[in-house]
Amino acid sequence: MRGSAGDTIRFGLAPGSEVLCEETYTDPSAYYILTSSAPRFCVSPNIQFSLLPISSTMHFKTDIHAAEAGAEPPVLIPTVTQQNFNPDLLVEAKDATAFEHQMTPREAFKIYPKAVAWSVLLSAAIIMEGYDTILLGSFYGFPSFVQKFGKLQPDGSYSISAAWQAGLSNGAQVGEIFGLFFAGYASERYGYRKTMISALLAIIAFIFIQFFAQNIQTLQAAYILCGLPWGVFQTITTAYASEVCPIALRGYLTTYVNLCWVLGQIIASGVLRGMLSIQSEWGYRACYAIQWFWPVPIITGIIFAPESPWWLVRKGRYEAAAKCIDRLTTKGANVNFNTEQKVAMMIHTNDMEKKVSEGTSYFDCLKHTDLRRTEIASVAWLAQAFCGSALMGYSTYFYEQAGLATTQAFNFSLIQFAIGGFGTMFSWVAMTYFGRRTMYLSGLSMMFTLLLIVGILSVTAGTTTGGQWAIGSMLLVFTLVYDCTIGPVCYSLVAEIPATRLRSKTIVIARNLYNIGGIVNNIIVPYMLNPTAWNWKAKTGFFWAGITALFILWTYFRLPEPKGLAYSELDILFERKISARKFKSTPVDPFNGITSELDTPKGGVLMVENAEQVKA
């Protein structure tokens, strides 16, 4: 708290109450250290902060330079001044936040086992998307599919043109773009449950079009339509996972979405292998029909699932939010857990964000501090598309160039998917000890090195059998690094970084940038590798290494560390424009200095009104 020379600060038990003591500023550069554990309030009208904890004597002052030197670390509090928060609400909110900070992953799982189960259920919808994505790419080499939708060639074989292959793949992503925008609007208006059920009912209908398609034009329409509910799944599953679990489980449940992608790909590969012997149209139709297995049990589960309590709080339905929290937790698992305190924490966070930005539209994602949060989520997801990940599926191509039998390609595909599953589970262990920022930066750095090695091998030994084996092996290692770091961790970042009121819409914008990146990859990567086009082959590694280097620089300067931070704490760090590199080390108090019984005792707290000294 700062004032001008000559200002008189008066203190009382509540705003507007009787003055208990007063202090006159003599040095305008001084900051007051507040040392009492009892809440008091500044009642002086000319001071910026209206809610501060103070002692009955306010005589100890610290110069700003001493704080900068580290003698007394600054603790950031909100800058908004007209909050009129109920002190009891603040105390309950801080108790809930302090309890979450102290909770270990094991304790969190004991309290929130039902939240984990509901999140896993909704995330199962992503398995459908991972399944169909692999299905389409594999069908281009599936005899009965190519004969049905391809054209007869002069040599008597059938083939689907490159233009139609690109059209089918990109058509699904175009549908996802529109589905994502719809999900951002519908989920905020109608809730996550109703939006998910609607999308699952839609996918049941659209699978019929895939199944009965008689020409490639109808199949194109089917993939565009299927992209609509897939876009909904991409938004809702990640947002729901981040809102039903505590801080200690946030990273695990959001990255589980990535594992669902891998599971879908493994299932698709197994189904395709089993259908290869069927020469009729039922070979590919059966693959489509299997998709009907997923929606019915998921819909049945979602009907009974609790709504996101954060969404209910945003709608002002506090009692319903409390009931949902009770359904997400195990009663009596921990004596310190309190539903009313948890709701109070959500209300306080929502009120803080409303003071900064009242709106919840897509345009609000591009305003003020939310623009920075949207940038971080978007570029983090864009890094997935442009870090060279498009090459991961081509390790088999280089093995075949080295003499590997084509019949073994399927086995190597399964190896890659197994690596993906292992990588996601390994990331759960790594996230226990390392932050998201650390894993992203280290992952990109290792991938940059591997891409350089691939490019160098292409120049020095690209035409030899050993060189082709080495390039394929480097791409397998690249896949492992990707799936241990930025592959799963990205899902955690894009769920944690946005403001709670704009989370679903921020995820929509970020994921759509990723989808646009995927469309670009679908266009340029075949040209890079095709001998009749650019014919870069493994020299493509140099190109993607250069792009990855740019993402490394961005990550170092722009990607903050959200691990272990409550959403209200992230709100303040973004509001005060703290440097990404300082997020982890900057103490934050979203509760205007109110103390909690669960707080670790501190000798003193420095309340900072101007955060310039912690930005750099």
Side-chain angles (χ1 to χ4, degrees):
M1 180 175 65
R2 289 183 72 173
S4 303
D7 281 351
T8 299
I9 317 168
R10 299 179 178 85
F11 303 99
L13 290 173
S17 67
E18 176 186 358
V19 176
L20 298 180
C21 62
E22 64 181 38
E23 178 74 16
T24 301
Y25 273 114
T26 57
D27 181 0
S29 69
Y31 280 75
Y32 281 74
I33 293 183
L34 313 176
T35 58
S36 173
S37 61
R40 301 288 191 272
F41 300 93
C42 172
V43 297
S44 182
N46 62 329
I47 303 302
Q48 180 176 3
F49 296 112
S50 59
L51 292 177
L52 294 171
I54 68 169
S55 63
S56 59
T57 57
M58 293 289 294
H59 299 298
F60 183 60
K61 294 178 282 186
T62 297
D63 186 80
I64 181 64
H65 302 296
E68 290 177 337
E72 188 66 40
V75 178
L76 300 186
I77 62 175
T79 59
V80 286
T81 61
Q82 306 296 325
Q83 298 195 45
N84 298 322
F85 290 131
N86 182 334
D88 293 334
L89 177 71
L90 286 176
V91 172
E92 289 189 342
K94 184 158 190 177
D95 281 341
T97 304
F99 176 66
E100 286 209 4
H101 280 310
Q102 295 176 5
M103 200 185 304
T104 65
R106 177 174 294 183
E107 291 170 340
F109 185 80
K110 288 181 179 178
I111 299 172
Y112 287 87
K114 289 181 280 187
V116 172
W118 290 121
S119 177
V120 167
L121 172 69
L122 264 72
S123 297
I126 292 293
I127 296 176
M128 300 171 61
E129 186 180 358
Y131 175 91
D132 207 304
T133 301
I134 291 298
L135 212 60
L136 179 60
S138 301
F139 273 166
Y140 298 143
F142 206 79
S144 59
F145 182 89
V146 174
Q147 186 172 353
K148 176 68 176 180
F149 298 105
K151 286 188 177 181
L152 183 64
Q153 303 301 305
D155 62 358
S157 65
Y158 286 85
S159 175
I160 297 176
S161 69
W164 272 113
Q165 288 186 27
L168 290 171
S169 299
N170 291 336
Q173 291 189 311
V174 169
E176 288 175 12
I177 290 173
F178 287 102
L180 280 158
F181 279 122
F182 168 78
Y185 166 79
S187 62
E188 193 58 35
R189 183 177 178 86
Y190 302 109
Y192 295 159
R193 293 172 60 254
K194 291 180 180 179
T195 305
M196 275 291 289
I197 290 173
S198 300
L200 287 163
L201 291 173
I203 197 68
I204 292 174
F206 298 152
I207 292 170
F208 274 99
I209 304 177
Q210 286 182 326
F211 185 84
F212 290 107
Q214 295 299 311
N215 54 60
I216 199 166
Q217 292 84 359
T218 305
L219 193 64
Q220 173 77 84
Y223 272 100
I224 293 174
L225 291 172
C226 284
L228 297 174
W230 290 344
V232 174
F233 301 156
Q234 291 169 3
T235 306
I236 302 300
T237 53
T238 306
Y240 187 84
S242 68
E243 294 192 359
V244 298
C245 63
I247 295 173
L249 296 179
R250 220 163 52 192
Y252 304 110
L253 290 182
T254 50
T255 54
Y256 174 76
V257 174
N258 186 70
L259 182 60
C260 289
W261 267 86
V262 177
L263 290 174
Q265 293 169 339
I266 293 174
I267 293 170
S269 297
V271 169
L272 283 166
R273 183 64 178 267
M275 296 298 172
L276 280 174
S277 59
I278 302 176
Q279 301 300 317
S280 68
E281 292 182 4
W282 285 102
Y284 72 85
R285 283 188 173 182
C287 295
Y288 282 138
I290 288 173
Q291 294 178 99
W292 278 314
F293 169 79
W294 299 102
V296 174
I298 296 176
I299 289 174
T300 304
I302 294 177
I303 289 173
F304 298 100
E307 184 56 83
S308 162
W310 284 93
W311 181 82
L312 292 167
V313 165
R314 291 195 291 273
K315 296 299 179 181
R317 298 166 57 184
Y318 303 146
E319 291 185 6
K323 290 179 181 178
C324 283
I325 292 173
D326 287 338
R327 292 188 59 200
L328 291 166
T329 56
T330 299
K331 188 175 181 180
N334 191 299
V335 294
N336 289 324
F337 179 80
N338 185 292
T339 300
E340 287 71 24
Q341 290 177 354
K342 179 80 172 181
V343 174
M345 180 186 74
M346 295 177 179
I347 295 172
H348 177 62
T349 302
N350 186 60
D351 288 345
M352 281 178 54
E353 292 183 1
K354 286 172 68 176
K355 295 296 181 181
V356 176
S357 176
E358 184 70 27
T360 57
S361 69
Y362 283 111
F363 290 108
D364 290 301
C365 295
L366 307 177
K367 295 179 181 178
H368 312 302
T369 58
D370 290 307
L371 175 60
R372 181 186 177 193
R373 302 173 89 152
T374 303
E375 172 224 326
I376 292 168
S378 299
V379 179
W381 225 329
L382 201 60
Q384 272 197 345
F386 289 139
C387 66
S389 58
L391 292 178
M392 291 193 301
Y394 287 92
S395 60
T396 303
Y397 168 81
F398 291 105
Y399 282 137
E400 289 175 354
Q401 295 296 310
L404 180 72
T406 306
T407 54
Q408 296 299 317
F410 172 80
N411 296 331
F412 273 89
S413 296
L414 283 181
I415 290 173
Q416 280 194 307
F417 299 144
I419 288 173
F422 169 80
T424 301
M425 289 184 282
F426 176 83
S427 72
W428 295 342
V429 178
M431 281 193 297
T432 306
Y433 303 99
F434 303 103
R436 310 341 176 206
R437 172 185 164 88
T438 301
M439 292 181 67
Y440 230 72
L441 196 57
S442 59
L444 286 170
S445 299
M446 287 187 284
M447 290 158 65
F448 168 78
T449 304
L450 290 168
L451 288 168
L452 274 183
I453 293 173
V454 167
I456 292 170
L457 285 171
S458 178
V459 173
T460 59
T463 59
T464 66
T465 300
Q468 295 289 339
W469 277 103
I471 290 169
S473 300
M474 285 298 102
L475 290 178
L476 278 181
V477 175
F478 179 94
T479 302
L480 175 62
V481 173
Y482 174 91
D483 286 319
C484 289
T485 55
I486 76 168
V489 174
C490 179
Y491 286 92
S492 181
L493 285 170
V494 299
E496 293 176 314
I497 292 297
T500 60
R501 292 173 57 79
L502 293 171
R503 177 176 289 116
S504 59
K505 290 183 172 65
T506 304
I507 292 174
V508 165
I509 294 173
R511 182 67 186 188
N512 271 337
L513 277 179
Y514 171 85
N515 285 336
I516 292 171
I519 292 173
V520 172
N521 278 338
N522 288 341
I523 295 172
I524 66 173
V525 172
Y527 280 93
M528 291 176 174
L529 299 178
N530 197 316
T532 62
W534 300 345
N535 196 29
W536 290 1
K537 296 186 179 177
K539 297 183 184 70
T540 305
F542 289 124
F543 174 83
W544 293 117
I547 301 295
T548 303
L550 295 178
F551 282 116
I552 291 172
L553 289 174
W554 176 86
T555 301
Y556 181 77
F557 289 104
R558 299 293 292 169
L559 183 65
E561 177 54 73
K563 179 185 177 182
L565 293 173
Y567 292 130
S568 56
E569 293 167 336
L570 286 168
D571 289 338
I572 295 175
L573 290 166
F574 279 111
E575 177 198 351
R576 305 303 291 273
K577 300 179 182 178
I578 302 304
S579 165
R581 290 166 289 163
K582 297 284 186 178
F583 262 54
K584 186 176 181 180
S585 59
T586 302
V588 184
D589 183 4
F591 309 100
N592 291 354
I594 293 292
T595 55
S596 165
E597 294 179 357
L598 298 176
D599 280 343
T600 301
K602 298 181 176 127
V605 176
L606 179 65
M607 296 300 178
V608 178
E609 185 271 336
N610 190 333
E612 291 295 331
Q613 72 267 30
V614 292
K615 288 182 186 179

